[in-house]
């Protein structure tokens, strides 16, 4: 009898532990799924901020977006912005990581200061760079004048505004790429590098055949962080150009923000956000699959 009672007590204790572990997971799932489904439903309605009556309208918001030329401009700008930012920041971050991996007396100083831009809120960084990019009084055009170059229309020219914002994004987030890639470099075994040195490999051969091969999963990891983040970029753009000039920097997130807060069209704003979510999900899934392949290849599993 005592043994049976003891067994029941152990079983009850095991269930209690199971429920205690399951409850937070269910709460997290509930808090994630319910707002997401609510957002999807909102995108299928004509809901407006401060309006009392909401009506289900199906895919009307999506059809209106498809017929709006500004939407396609914003979609192109979004993909171009994310692509440029990632393609610039990964090689630049890799170069910085390789420099920070070289032992030197001032290595600790540069390693401690590289992350400083990450501490600045994107909207503050946008305002700061907007001041620096002023055509008449900005410090960047002053520097160009010192070397005999004409002033540059950083944010006011439709041809250069998007690239200028990518430059700001690069200044702000390139350190993240450098830190992740530096962590990858630090994970390379010293014995492997020493063996390469003994075999006569020079610096370039070591970088090409050992370090870059080891860094492939980390490079994909940087892309996994940066592409979805760049697709959702809003603060820098809104602090500098607000989507102008002539829609040159209008992205989907800027368009969604204006639909919600300028035109009070919450249903249409949620439709744009859902399209952004689909883009982020597709890119994240592809990159996650690529990252797993690189991890398996690198670790020989």
């Amino acid at each position: 009898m005592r043994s049976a009672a003891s067994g029941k007590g152990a079983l009850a204790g095991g269930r209690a532990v199971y429920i205690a572990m399951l409850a937070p997971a269910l709460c997290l799932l509930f808090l994630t799924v319910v707002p997401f489904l609510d957002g999807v439903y909102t995108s299928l309605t004509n809901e407006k901020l401060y309006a009392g009556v909401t009506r289900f309208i199906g895919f009307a918001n999506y059809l209106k977006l498809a017929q709006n030329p500004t939407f396609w401009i914003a979609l192109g700008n979004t993909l171009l912005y994310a692509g440029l930012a990632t393609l610039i920041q990964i090689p630049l971050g890799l170069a910085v990581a390789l420099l920070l991996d070289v032992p030197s007396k001032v290595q600790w100083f540069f390693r401690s200061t590289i992350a400083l831009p990450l501490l600045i809120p994107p909207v503050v960084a946008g305002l700061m760079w907007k001041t620096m990019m002023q055509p008449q009084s900005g410090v960047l055009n002053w520097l160009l004048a010192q070397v005999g170059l004409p002033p540059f229309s950083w944010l006011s020219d439709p041809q250069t505004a998007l690239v200028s914002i990518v430059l700001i994004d690069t200044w702000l987030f390139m350190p993240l790429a450098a830190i992740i890639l530096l962590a990858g470099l630090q994970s390379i075994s010293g014995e492997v590098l020493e063996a390469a040195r003994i075999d006569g490999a020079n610096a370039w051969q070591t970088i090409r055949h050992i370090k870059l091969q080891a860094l492939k999963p980390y490079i994909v990891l940087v892309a996994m962080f940066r592409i979805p983040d760049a697709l959702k970029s809003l603060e820098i753009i809104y602090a500098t150009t607000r989507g102008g000039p002539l829609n040159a920097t209008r992205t989907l997130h800027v368009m969604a923000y204006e639909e919600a807060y300028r035109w009070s069209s919450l249903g249409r704003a949620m439709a744009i956000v859902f399209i952004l979510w689909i883009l982020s999900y597709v890119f994240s899934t592809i990159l996650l699959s690529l990252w797993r392949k690189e991890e398996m290849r690198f670790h020989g599993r």
Side-chain angles (χ1 to χ4, degrees):
M1 292 293 289
R2 185 177 298 176
S3 176
S6 175
K8 290 182 178 177
L11 184 60
R15 286 178 179 172
V17 172
Y18 180 74
I19 292 172
M21 294 177 63
L22 189 62
L26 290 176
C27 287
L28 183 62
L29 185 66
F30 180 80
L31 294 174
T32 304
V33 171
V34 171
F36 176 78
L37 294 178
D38 182 72
V40 173
Y41 174 75
T42 302
S43 73
L44 302 174
T45 69
N46 67 339
E47 183 170 345
K48 287 184 173 292
L49 289 173
Y50 319 116
V53 179
T54 300
R55 188 165 50 87
F56 183 81
I57 57 174
F59 291 96
N61 285 328
Y62 295 93
L63 293 175
K64 285 182 180 177
L65 285 174
Q67 295 166 357
N68 185 352
T70 305
F71 168 77
W72 296 106
I73 293 172
L75 177 61
N77 288 340
T78 302
L79 295 174
L80 184 61
Y81 182 96
L84 279 177
T86 307
L87 290 176
I88 293 173
Q89 290 168 24
I90 288 180
L92 203 55
L94 176 61
V96 172
L98 289 170
L99 288 174
L100 292 178
D101 192 47
V102 177
S104 70
K105 292 181 179 178
V106 294
Q107 186 187 56
W108 63 271
F109 172 76
F110 289 109
R111 284 190 177 186
S112 59
T113 56
I114 185 67
L116 287 180
L118 294 172
L119 304 178
I120 299 176
V123 67
V124 176
L127 292 172
M128 185 177 73
W129 277 86
K130 185 179 181 180
T131 304
M132 294 169 62
M133 289 177 169
Q134 288 290 334
Q136 303 301 326
S137 58
V139 67
L140 294 186
N141 276 350
W142 179 83
L143 290 172
L144 291 178
Q146 302 311 304
V147 294
L149 294 175
F152 194 74
S153 301
W154 298 93
L155 297 168
S156 55
D157 187 339
Q159 301 295 325
T160 59
L162 189 67
V163 176
S164 299
I165 291 176
V166 170
L167 176 66
I168 302 172
D169 190 283
T170 298
W171 177 83
L172 194 59
F173 293 110
M174 182 277 293
L176 176 66
I179 291 170
I180 294 174
L181 295 175
L182 180 61
L185 288 172
Q186 297 291 301
S187 70
I188 300 174
S189 170
E191 295 177 356
V192 175
L193 297 175
E194 182 63 20
R197 190 187 65 78
I198 293 172
D199 289 342
N202 57 31
W204 169 243
Q205 289 171 330
T206 303
I207 291 174
R208 180 182 175 186
H209 297 294
I210 297 178
K211 294 184 176 181
L212 286 182
Q213 296 302 315
L215 283 178
K216 282 184 177 178
Y218 293 88
I219 291 173
V220 178
L221 190 64
V222 172
M224 281 176 60
F225 279 117
R226 286 303 301 136
I227 289 180
D229 198 40
L231 287 172
K232 298 181 294 182
S233 183
L234 172 67
E235 295 94 334
I236 295 175
I237 299 173
Y238 218 72
T240 51
T241 62
R242 299 197 172 197
L246 300 176
N247 290 326
T249 60
R250 187 171 303 281
T251 61
L252 288 180
H253 207 164
V254 172
M255 196 173 173
Y257 180 85
E258 292 191 338
E259 286 288 348
Y261 292 100
R262 187 175 180 184
W263 308 113
S264 301
S265 180
L266 195 58
R268 198 174 301 176
M270 288 308 301
I272 298 172
V273 170
F274 187 59
I275 292 170
L276 262 177
W277 178 84
I278 292 174
L279 284 176
S280 298
Y281 181 80
V282 169
F283 280 113
S284 298
T285 303
I286 293 172
L287 290 169
L288 183 61
S289 174
L290 186 59
W291 177 75
R292 284 174 177 162
K293 287 181 181 176
E294 290 297 334
E295 276 284 290
M296 292 174 67
R297 181 193 59 80
F298 183 69
H299 291 102
R301 290 180 293 184

